[in-house]
Amino acid sequence: EFRRFSLERSKPGKFEEFYGLLQHVHKIPNVDVLVGYTDIHGDLLPINNDDNYHKAVSTANPLLRIFIQRKEDADYSAFGTDTMTRKKNVLSNVLRPDNHKKKPHIVISMPQDFRPVSSIIDVDILPETHRRVRLYKYGTDKPLGFYIRDGSSVRVTPHGLEKVPGIFISRLVPGGLAQSTGLLAVNDEVLEVNGIEVSGKSLDQVTDMMIANSRNLIITVRPANQRNNVVRNSRTSGSSGQSTESSLPSSTPNILANSLQGEEESDEEDIIIEDSGEPQQIPKAAATSESLESLTQIELLHESTQNGFLPSSEMNLNHSAGSVSMEYEVQDPDHKSLEEDGTIITL
Amino acid sequence: MRRFLRPGHDPVRERLKRDLFQFNKTVEHGFPHQPSALGYSPFLRLMAIGTRSGAVKLYGAPGVEFMGLHEENNTVMQIHFIPDQCQLVTLLDDNSLHLWSLRQHSGASELREEHRFTLKGPPGSPPSATQVTAVLAHSSRAVLYLGTESGSVFVVELPSFRVLEDRTITSEAVLQRVPEDSCNRRSCELVEALREHPKNPNQILIGYSRGLIVLWDLQNSRATHHFLGSQQLENLYWQRDGSKFISCHYDGSYTQWPVSSDNRQPDPLENLVPYGPFPCKAISKIYWQTTKNGLPYIIFQGGMPRASYGDRHSITVIHGSQQTAFDFTSRVIDFFIIFSSEPTAESDDPSAMVVLAEEELVVIDLQAAGWPAVPPPYLASLHCSAITCSHHVSNIPLKLWERIIGAGSKQNTRSSSMAWPIDGGTNVAPDPPQRDLLLTGHEDGTVRFWDASGVCLHLLYKLSTVRVFLTDADPNDNMNTLGEDEWPPLRKVGTFDPYSDDPRLGIQKIYLCKYSGYLAVAGTAGQVLVMELNDEDAEHVVDHAEADLLQDQEGYRWKGHEKLKTRDGPVRFEAGFQPFVLIQCQPPAVVTSLALHSEWKLVAFGTSHGFGLFDHQQKRLVFVKCTLHPSDQLALEGPLSRVKSLKKSLRQSFRRIRRSRVSSRKRRGVGGNASEVQEANAKFDQDTLQEMELAPVQRKIEARSAEDSFTGFVRTLYFADTFLRDSSRHCPSLWAGTNGGTVYAFCLRVPPAERRMDEAVRAEQAKEIQLMHRAPVVGILVLDGRGTPLPEPLEVAHDLSKSPDMQGSHQLLVVSEEQFKVFTLPKVSSKLKLKLTALEGCRVRKVTVANFGSCKSEDYSENDLAVLTNLGDIQIISLPFLKLQIRYPCIRKEDVSGIASCVFTKYGQGFYLISPSEFERFSLSTKWLVEPRCVVGVPEATSNNHLHNKPGTENAARRS
């Protein structure tokens, strides 16, 4: 199936919205798909986060060709920079996977299946000797996997050097989240937990604080090894807030220093089961009488207009100079017919 | 949003907070931990108790009490009241002397330390030269005589503590005046006793440890008489007229000596070993009291046959042919006799004996036949069996109060009806505002009902659940069944009995409905008893029901203790709370939560496996719900089984020790100072503790997961009439919160009263909330349309509360150890929250709704949450907006048992254990404050120079 519609090049919006839009225009709201595009070299590259989505939009010239595969049928080998040199027809690979007689490749999960596990944040506001590490515990079964202990550290005071009690990381569990990030090490001194200083607090208090924040733990440490500190001057690279050490590609955490107080509620929603039904997240009670649903609707409508989609019945292919035209291809046996019904897009 | 709602600096609110909240530790209830000294003033009719931690507590008439604390926190060795004064002197184990005074200040007396003093010898003298062993507060009120280890008696002027060196009675001076053939140098080592002559203040009796006793004339500095005892001396006592005295000795003997002017070195009149002929233990203190009828009372401590009864803590009273050895449950610290101290009276005529044992105070009525015990109005031994839980009920209706007192008085038929003999001072505190009950559950399966309305916590009634069960406790273990001709004539007195024969009997949860008189009590072996108050004793069958909390789960094996066996057939119950139904949880794990709704006649109970609801009207189980995570093997097996058996073996070994222990002889001096050894041990423990704190203790940082152990442990149960399903109809509901952060809500259908027996109560699960932070749920509360907590069952029916607002929408407050969360009802959406642990690193241990009244305006009051954290802080959090109002440090965070024992009242007071035997009472309210306020009058000083002076007659008239 093919679809074609326009998108404002200057305001591409977020990947999630784009993804939702794709699902909507193809009427496959609950089908997980892989999204890819062909770049100028003809390589089939994935779109799975804001960065490569924006990159894709910016390379469209003027048409951006998008390929959508149902996730469970996806042929991961189709992606890659070598797709041209391997002299394989990308399209044929995608469209006729039966013809593809290659040996089964080792399946490496798509980048979108990765989730952030850790990041270094607030580099610009912290002293270089400190490191603020965020551990993303949610959605993983991996244990946080570290231990803390009491200890003493030396501080410079007006009276000279002074020994003060402190909290230190004492052990990393092999295979645990903390160890796998490589951002925390034994003997690192813990200075803050989610923005709250630990000085003056007992080991048990700090333990309780960390466990209470375990779903979104932000620890500020003074690393025992000071040689791997983020060097502030390298900020010219433009990736200031980002870690050079994050072991896995991650999206920008978008954390502001003042958000450390634990205002990220999304990961904290309690679950309710009503009358033995399905578990649901407990919504936040609206300040007004409006229901939560209506609130979300308003937001999404607002965003969709921003993104340049008009609630018109026709897709304008050559909408304006700033817009990008797109072409869709959906591999879906249930939707063989070519459709261009121009759904009203009100997500 | 919340940021704007945080406690701001609204000046109006800040002022109101000052009118509402105030933190005070007001009074210590119970029996002082580790008492070490006793003193009594017949003049003030006040008793003083010193403790190992350096506290000195004074008690008089009920409500009259004072407390002082020595800065040194050293053991108080001796307490001596200054005759005819509101002053007392304490001797600590660091050899320091302290002078305390009772002074009136703005209408109430206060106990203050005035001076301190340590006796110093000449330079270079050994410390033993000035180690004080005996103290005599002379009737002249001007001097103290201090007997020392070296044998010298120093004279110190009061209140300045100036040493009057020229008046020192050195052992050399004594030796010079005693014929050389009768003694040697060593005879005058260590002064054991100093006693002033009852008629002649210029003569004192000096008893030396090796047996020499000298009657010393203070004016002429010479020995008028000397008495040669062959045995090591323990103590001395004058007969009232001064013509004889009695000495007691290390070998268990006592000797009477005549004092007459014609014989300067008399022989003993009588020498007796009362429990001979086999070797006996020391008699450490003795009284000789005359009576009108001529038969004296001889009362002495110890002296038991060493081999067979050496481990007994006894005091023997001999009066004519009557002889009883009172056998105390713990070591006797000291005792005194209350007798007629009128100087004109010809005889002592003792009325009561007051005995301070290590774990309790026992008063024996010496005038009534059979010498019964007098129930003390204070100093209750809370720990007579270890306290396992407590429950406070405020504002008891008068009817119920009288019925409980009635039931209690029927239990005390054998005790003396004597008015409390220690009755000095006047209680000037206002009458308690309301009748409050504190219920304590004990390890031995009893529940004690304490009058907690005022300063004196005293026992009203004791309920035992043991009767329902068959236990291996030996029924023949009765201490009072000794026959007439038993020798020695021991009689067990006191209630202290910390050794529970079956720990499964232990009470874990108590819930009393003050309106209906229904009481639910739950214990260690999964037993839940529902009781009703009956004013008569009755014999009836207790209905049994089993609640299988594992229901559908299969293949599990409980490895913990078995359930208690029950008695078949009807059981006789004494008047009071009588059980009518027993619900046995299966597996018989400890009951962890309990709720009773007396209006609906329902009782809910929870364990580590699940919870159930029982209809006690129809005696039918309504439902059970298993909360156990299938992988939670630990909870299944009963992890405490191993701990329990260890505890049991410990208990047994303690018993063995107790049996075999030779009662440690009171010993003074540097070398064999038992308390010093103990102190050193304590210090060592402290040091090792500190070291341990410095050692790298690790703490694991891990998020809670559904697979953790004991997530199914039911922490809280709550009944509410609220909107569970839709916003138009409210219905009865039961809420349960678990250790794993789950809240279950069940919709109940309770038939109307007229069909209550015909239709079954039905329940249906309506909601299940999983808190994502998975912290234990410690409190559930429903707030009505006005944001006020729902009233207790029957509270509205008794016109004691406004009916809840059922118009506005209700809210659900869930308190976990880490957070407070408010949800809307009936559709659950989160409305407000207050994070505690994430921000402060402390966790909720106890939480209660408390009503705070303003001290400024009569009609203003508000409901807040009183919260105790694991750090021992108390926080007050407003309702319904969850704003932190104020925070007070209350309990040391290391005092885990103190924190665990804390119980709040409904009006902003609270209690927590500061020792196994003492509750500290505190108040968070400006309005409800129960604290001692009393006056000790200073009767006009008499010029009477007798040691035992007449009491202020007005004091005597002030018996309560």
Side-chain angles (χ1 to χ4, degrees):
Chain A
E1 283 182 38
F2 296 92
R3 294 280 191 285
R4 197 179 255 246
F5 67 88
S6 64
L7 198 65
E8 199 169 332
R9 188 198 292 271
S10 56
K11 292 177 189 162
K14 288 193 184 308
F15 170 69
E16 282 82 13
E17 295 157 16
F18 178 68
Y19 188 79
L21 178 67
L22 293 181
Q23 283 183 325
H24 184 82
V25 283
H26 287 282
K27 296 185 174 163
I28 46 167
N30 291 315
V31 181
D32 285 335
V33 292
L34 293 183
V35 184
Y37 72 104
T38 46
D39 73 348
I40 39 169
H41 310 295
D43 290 334
L44 183 61
L45 298 176
I47 301 182
N48 49 35
N49 61 36
D50 287 352
D51 288 349
N52 52 23
Y53 168 55
H54 292 163
K55 179 77 178 164
V57 172
S58 65
T59 56
N61 194 18
L63 215 64
L64 180 63
R65 186 174 283 202
I66 304 270
F67 297 89
I68 301 178
Q69 285 177 274
R70 199 198 267 269
K71 205 171 201 172
E72 47 268 36
D73 308 334
D75 177 11
Y76 293 97
S77 65
F79 290 98
T81 45
D82 275 350
T83 38
M84 282 308 284
T85 52
R86 272 192 269 122
K87 300 195 193 297
K88 294 274 182 183
N89 185 339
V90 173
L91 263 181
S92 72
N93 273 351
V94 173
L95 293 174
R96 289 180 292 281
D98 324 314
N99 297 349
H100 184 59
K101 301 287 182 203
K102 273 184 73 175
K103 283 179 194 168
H105 277 259
I106 298 164
V107 177
I108 299 170
S109 57
M110 290 303 298
Q112 69 183 27
D113 291 336
F114 295 128
R115 25 167 196 75
V117 293
S118 65
S119 51
I120 296 189
I121 55 174
D122 296 335
V123 180
D124 46 347
I125 57 167
L126 283 176
E128 282 177 22
T129 52
H130 296 182
R131 181 187 298 164
R132 187 167 286 166
V133 177
R134 182 172 183 177
L135 296 175
Y136 301 79
K137 167 71 180 118
Y138 53 88
T140 167
D141 294 332
K142 225 178 209 182
L144 283 170
F146 68 102
Y147 290 73
I148 57 173
R149 62 165 171 89
D150 277 318
S152 60
S153 72
V154 177
R155 293 278 156 77
V156 185
T157 67
H159 319 291
L161 293 179
E162 220 170 74
K163 243 184 172 185
V164 291
I167 304 288
F168 294 84
I169 293 174
S170 62
R171 190 155 89 86
L172 298 179
V173 177
L177 193 56
Q179 192 225 29
S180 64
T181 65
L183 300 181
L184 298 171
V186 171
N187 292 334
D188 285 0
E189 184 182 359
V190 178
L191 303 172
E192 287 175 9
V193 175
N194 289 54
I196 295 165
E197 280 194 43
V198 305
S199 74
K201 292 197 158 61
S202 70
L203 183 64
D204 287 331
Q205 266 177 289
V206 177
T207 306
D208 284 340
M209 282 168 69
M210 286 188 173
I211 290 172
N213 287 304
S214 59
R215 302 184 65 78
N216 176 30
L217 184 58
I218 300 165
I219 316 178
T220 310
V221 293
R222 188 206 316 272
N225 178 356
Q226 289 281 337
R227 280 171 301 183
N228 294 333
N229 291 341
V230 177
V231 182
R232 203 80 67 80
N233 300 350
S234 69
R235 225 189 301 170
T236 45
S237 67
S239 60
S240 68
Q242 293 244 29
S243 158
T244 49
E245 280 186 75
S246 294
S247 57
L248 290 165
S250 66
S251 56
T252 318
N254 287 329
I255 310 283
L256 298 172
N258 62 10
S259 68
L260 292 179
Q261 303 284 334
E263 295 298 322
E264 312 81 14
E265 308 294 359
S266 58
D267 58 327
E268 270 252 346
E269 286 314 334
D270 302 327
I271 287 172
I272 173 114
I273 303 172
E274 300 259 5
D275 296 327
S276 311
E278 284 297 305
Q280 290 174 338
Q281 286 209 336
I282 295 179
K284 266 192 107 72
T288 61
S289 58
E290 277 168 318
S291 75
L292 182 96
E293 286 83 351
S294 64
L295 256 187
T296 11
Q297 240 163 14
I298 289 166
E299 263 173 49
L300 288 175
L301 269 173
H302 176 66
E303 280 184 27
S304 59
T305 18
Q306 261 198 335
N307 285 347
F309 292 110
L310 297 170
S312 78
S313 58
E314 287 201 53
M315 299 297 277
N316 195 341
L317 292 182
N318 301 310
H319 187 256
S320 68
S323 71
V324 186
S325 298
M326 297 200 178
E327 200 173 318
Y328 297 91
E329 205 168 327
V330 174
Q331 193 187 21
D332 191 337
D334 298 329
H335 292 268
K336 288 250 159 64
S337 63
L338 245 145
E339 276 185 274
E340 212 162 339
D341 58 359
T343 327
I344 301 169
I345 303 169
T346 52
L347 285 176
Chain B
M1 262 265 290
R2 195 157 53 83
R3 205 150 290 176
F4 300 109
L5 295 175
R6 276 199 182 140
H9 297 286
D10 175 8
V12 179
R13 180 66 197 166
E14 292 300 312
R15 221 173 303 130
L16 183 57
K17 273 157 69 173
R18 278 198 294 277
D19 296 345
L20 291 169
F21 313 124
Q22 182 188 49
F23 180 71
N24 282 297
K25 291 188 182 177
T26 51
V27 62
E28 290 170 9
H29 294 306
F31 185 77
H33 187 51
Q34 295 182 316
S36 56
L38 176 70
Y40 177 67
S41 167
F43 169 71
L44 299 172
R45 298 180 76 87
L46 289 180
M47 166 177 69
I49 294 176
T51 73
R52 291 254 298 271
S53 52
V56 53
K57 294 181 166 196
L58 268 57
Y59 298 89
V64 176
E65 52 182 84
F66 301 94
M67 189 190 148
L69 189 64
H70 293 93
E71 260 172 44
E72 294 85 350
N73 289 340
N74 276 346
T75 299
V76 180
M77 302 299 288
Q78 297 185 29
I79 300 176
H80 299 271
F81 281 89
I82 311 295
D84 304 345
Q85 298 285 312
C86 288
Q87 285 183 319
L88 60 150
V89 168
T90 55
L91 170 69
L92 303 192
D93 66 348
D94 64 354
N95 203 35
S96 61
L97 287 156
H98 303 254
L99 180 69
W100 297 79
S101 296
L102 282 167
R103 286 181 191 263
Q104 286 199 24
H105 180 74
S106 61
S109 296
E110 287 174 5
L111 180 67
R112 289 224 196 104
E113 188 180 345
E114 305 261 314
H115 291 285
R116 66 186 62 193
F117 165 73
T118 302
L119 190 63
K120 289 200 178 59
S125 61
S128 67
T130 52
Q131 181 73 39
V132 178
T133 53
V135 177
L136 169 65
H138 195 256
S139 60
S140 66
R141 308 190 290 263
V143 290
L144 281 183
Y145 291 91
L146 304 175
T148 62
E149 212 164 81
S150 64
S152 297
V153 177
F154 293 88
V155 187
V156 182
E157 194 179 59
L158 280 177
S160 64
F161 279 122
R162 192 164 62 87
V163 182
L164 304 173
E165 279 176 33
D166 53 324
R167 289 170 66 179
T168 303
I169 308 161
T170 61
S171 43
E172 289 80 6
V174 172
L175 278 171
Q176 276 169 23
R177 287 159 179 83
V178 171
E180 263 178 53
D181 56 324
S182 53
C183 52
N184 56 37
R185 242 204 100 67
R186 298 194 60 199
S187 312
C188 288
E189 277 178 1
L190 209 156
V191 179
E192 277 287 354
L194 290 172
R195 296 281 173 188
E196 183 178 334
H197 192 285
K199 302 283 180 195
N200 180 0
N202 288 323
Q203 287 191 331
I204 60 169
L205 207 53
I206 306 171
Y208 296 94
S209 174
R210 290 194 168 253
L212 176 70
I213 303 159
V214 172
L215 184 59
W216 189 261
D217 189 307
L218 296 170
Q219 269 181 329
N220 307 315
S221 289
R222 64 183 183 94
T224 59
H225 294 70
H226 66 272
F227 311 86
L228 288 172
S230 54
Q231 283 297 330
Q232 203 172 315
L233 183 76
E234 287 284 315
N235 219 324
L236 297 169
Y237 194 81
W238 279 106
Q239 207 193 50
R240 190 179 184 91
D241 61 4
S243 65
K244 286 178 211 159
F245 68 89
I246 194 164
S247 63
C248 56
H249 304 274
Y250 183 67
D251 66 341
S253 65
Y254 63 83
T255 309
Q256 292 181 28
W257 305 88
V259 181
S260 61
S261 49
D262 42 278
N263 190 351
R264 299 283 168 198
Q265 190 184 331
D267 290 324
L269 287 173
E270 190 187 19
N271 188 1
L272 258 180
V273 182
Y275 293 110
F278 298 111
C280 289
K281 299 209 59 175
I283 294 178
S284 49
K285 187 170 183 179
I286 192 159
Y287 273 86
W288 183 358
Q289 304 267 273
T290 57
T291 61
K292 280 191 208 79
N293 64 19
L295 279 177
Y297 278 87
I298 290 177
I299 301 168
F300 58 87
Q301 173 187 353
M304 282 285 136
R306 189 174 285 275
S308 39
Y309 297 96
D311 60 339
R312 300 304 177 100
H313 315 291
S314 72
I315 292 178
T316 302
V317 180
I318 303 171
H319 177 59
S321 60
Q322 293 179 65
Q323 178 166 356
T324 299
F326 293 100
D327 184 7
F328 295 90
T329 54
S330 53
R331 192 166 63 89
V332 173
I333 303 296
D334 201 356
F335 73 105
F336 61 85
I337 307 294
I338 297 175
F339 55 89
S340 164
S341 46
E342 284 291 331
T344 51
E346 291 196 347
S347 52
D348 296 315
D349 295 314
S351 55
M353 171 169 80
V354 179
V355 182
L356 177 69
E358 200 154 40
E359 306 290 357
E360 60 188 330
L361 182 82
V362 178
V363 177
I364 304 289
D365 180 351
L366 293 176
Q367 287 176 326
W371 298 331
V374 186
Y378 42 65
L379 287 165
S381 279
L382 298 168
H383 63 321
C384 38
S385 168
I387 293 180
T388 44
C389 65
S390 28
H391 176 71
H392 186 275
V393 191
S394 300
N395 218 350
I396 305 286
L398 183 62
K399 190 87 204 300
L400 178 68
W401 188 256
E402 285 171 344
R403 293 178 73 190
I404 291 172
I405 290 175
S409 62
K410 286 183 185 165
Q411 295 179 319
N412 279 334
T413 48
R414 289 175 64 190
S415 61
S416 162
S417 56
M418 175 191 249
W420 184 243
I422 303 163
D423 53 5
T426 314
N427 181 5
V428 294
D431 282 339
Q434 55 190 27
R435 289 171 296 273
D436 287 357
L437 263 186
L438 181 66
L439 280 68
T440 52
H442 298 261
E443 203 190 16
D444 63 355
T446 58
V447 178
R448 283 169 167 81
F449 288 61
W450 304 94
D451 175 0
S453 326
V455 170
C456 289
L457 186 77
H458 76 268
L459 186 66
L460 296 177
Y461 162 70
K462 179 177 129 182
L463 163 73
S464 176
T465 62
V466 181
R467 225 170 273 255
V468 181
F469 305 102
L470 276 174
T471 60
D472 19 310
D474 187 6
N476 299 325
D477 204 16
N478 196 331
M479 306 297 184
N480 291 336
T481 51
L482 290 168
E484 288 286 306
D485 46 352
E486 287 287 337
W487 191 260
L490 287 166
R491 193 173 110 198
K492 202 94 190 158
V493 281
T495 55
F496 179 71
D497 180 18
Y499 307 101
S500 164
D501 286 294
D502 195 337
R504 294 177 298 170
L505 288 167
I507 306 295
Q508 297 294 335
K509 294 286 161 189
I510 304 170
Y511 195 105
L512 171 69
C513 171
K514 60 185 178 187
Y515 304 109
S516 62
Y518 279 114
L519 172 72
V521 163
T524 305
Q527 73 271 34
V528 180
L529 285 162
V530 188
M531 314 194 193
E532 230 173 349
L533 189 54
N534 186 347
D535 298 325
E536 301 299 328
D537 54 350
E539 189 167 301
H540 57 82
V541 178
V542 177
D543 282 302
H544 291 187
E546 291 241 321
D548 180 9
L549 295 172
L550 287 182
Q551 261 197 330
D552 317 326
Q553 324 267 347
E554 274 180 22
Y556 293 134
R557 230 182 92 222
W558 167 253
K559 294 181 186 163
H561 50 232
E562 287 175 21
K563 67 172 187 180
L564 286 158
K565 288 197 186 68
T566 52
R567 270 179 214 279
D568 297 326
V571 183
R572 180 137 210 106
F573 295 101
E574 57 183 12
F577 287 93
Q578 298 173 346
F580 60 91
V581 67
L582 164 71
I583 306 134
Q584 177 63 53
C585 298
Q586 279 296 2
V590 51
V591 177
T592 55
S593 55
L594 182 70
L596 178 78
H597 200 293
S598 42
E599 199 171 348
W600 303 334
K601 306 270 195 293
L602 296 173
V603 61
F605 47 89
T607 71
S608 48
H609 302 98
F611 59 96
L613 180 68
F614 189 83
D615 173 358
H616 67 74
Q617 177 95 353
Q618 292 187 24
K619 294 174 183 162
R620 217 185 109 258
L621 190 66
V622 180
F623 76 91
V624 292
K625 166 88 183 171
C626 180
T627 53
L628 194 70
H629 194 274
S631 67
D632 192 352
Q633 208 58 35
L634 268 181
L636 273 170
E637 292 177 354
L640 299 177
S641 53
R642 259 164 288 173
V643 182
K644 273 278 147 58
S645 62
L646 176 71
K647 199 176 164 192
K648 198 171 179 183
S649 64
L650 271 179
R651 186 179 303 115
Q652 280 161 352
S653 57
F654 271 130
R655 271 190 183 179
R656 274 196 295 276
I657 292 169
R658 190 172 165 236
R659 278 197 208 100
S660 63
R661 190 172 51 198
V662 178
S663 67
S664 63
R665 193 174 107 70
K666 195 169 75 182
R667 214 177 276 273
R668 289 163 294 216
V670 184
N673 195 327
S675 65
E676 241 174 62
V677 173
Q678 272 155 345
E679 191 199 342
N681 281 340
K683 202 169 173 196
F684 175 77
D685 287 348
Q686 220 166 25
D687 289 350
T688 43
L689 254 180
Q690 268 172 355
E691 262 173 48
M692 270 165 58
E693 269 167 30
L694 290 178
V697 181
Q698 288 193 109
R699 290 282 183 274
K700 187 178 183 180
I701 306 298
E702 207 44 77
R704 291 195 183 82
S705 87
E707 282 83 42
D708 284 352
S709 278
F710 300 111
T711 51
F713 193 115
V714 179
R715 291 289 292 265
T716 182
L717 289 163
Y718 178 68
F719 284 107
D721 185 4
T722 189
F723 302 92
L724 195 53
R725 284 246 167 83
D726 59 66
S727 48
S728 53
R729 276 174 306 141
H730 56 94
C731 66
S733 63
L734 172 67
W735 299 77
T738 71
N739 231 20
T742 313
V743 175
Y744 300 93
F746 280 74
C747 198
L748 308 179
R749 217 190 65 78
V750 183
E754 61 274 16
R755 296 197 302 275
R756 185 62 180 77
M757 282 308 282
D758 310 326
E759 289 174 27
V761 175
R762 279 202 292 275
E764 207 179 331
Q765 182 164 342
K767 289 185 200 305
E768 180 180 331
I769 299 170
Q770 176 61 55
L771 302 177
M772 283 320 277
H773 65 287
R774 294 189 184 279
V777 176
V778 293
I780 298 174
L781 191 66
V782 172
L783 307 174
D784 73 2
R786 289 182 292 258
T788 309
L790 294 185
E792 281 175 62
L794 293 175
E795 201 171 13
V796 176
H798 284 71
D799 279 336
L800 287 156
S801 168
K802 275 198 288 187
S803 348
D805 180 355
M806 302 307 261
Q807 305 306 315
S809 57
H810 284 195
Q811 296 171 58
L812 171 71
L813 169 67
V814 176
V815 182
S816 79
E817 284 191 358
E818 296 185 351
Q819 298 185 7
F820 299 79
K821 284 196 153 178
V822 173
F823 299 96
T824 58
L825 283 177
K827 178 165 170 41
V828 175
S829 51
S830 64
K831 197 169 176 192
L832 268 181
K833 77 168 136 183
L834 175 64
K835 286 185 173 182
L836 195 67
T837 314
L839 299 179
E840 297 178 28
C842 58
R843 305 158 64 85
V844 177
R845 280 283 174 265
K846 304 275 169 174
V847 60
T848 314
V849 177
N851 186 275
F852 289 93
S854 163
C855 61
K856 292 272 171 65
S857 86
E858 270 302 310
D859 49 349
Y860 183 81
S861 75
E862 63 175 48
N863 288 305
D864 296 276
L865 289 176
V867 177
L868 176 76
T869 72
N870 64 330
L871 303 180
D873 287 346
I874 287 176
Q875 307 198 350
I876 296 173
I877 291 165
S878 72
L879 283 176
F881 297 112
L882 301 183
K883 286 186 275 183
L884 174 65
Q885 300 298 302
I886 207 152
R887 182 197 331 245
Y888 303 108
C890 179
I891 312 175
R892 284 181 312 114
K893 69 177 177 206
E894 296 82 11
D895 185 3
V896 180
S897 57
I899 292 170
S901 66
C902 180
V903 51
F904 286 110
T905 79
K906 290 230 152 19
Y907 294 92
Q909 296 192 49
F911 302 85
Y912 66 92
L913 288 172
I914 48 175
S915 74
S917 56
E918 285 168 290
F919 272 119
E920 172 79 63
R921 188 189 191 112
F922 62 86
S923 174
L924 303 166
S925 162
T926 52
K927 203 172 177 182
W928 305 114
L929 202 66
V930 171
E931 57 183 345
R933 187 171 169 81
C934 40
V935 179
V936 172
V938 191
E940 275 173 38
T942 51
S943 55
N944 196 320
N945 278 349
H946 293 279
L947 180 59
H948 303 293
N949 271 282
K950 63 171 181 185
T953 40
E954 44 180 317
N955 275 329
R958 268 190 219 131
R959 289 168 191 238
S960 67

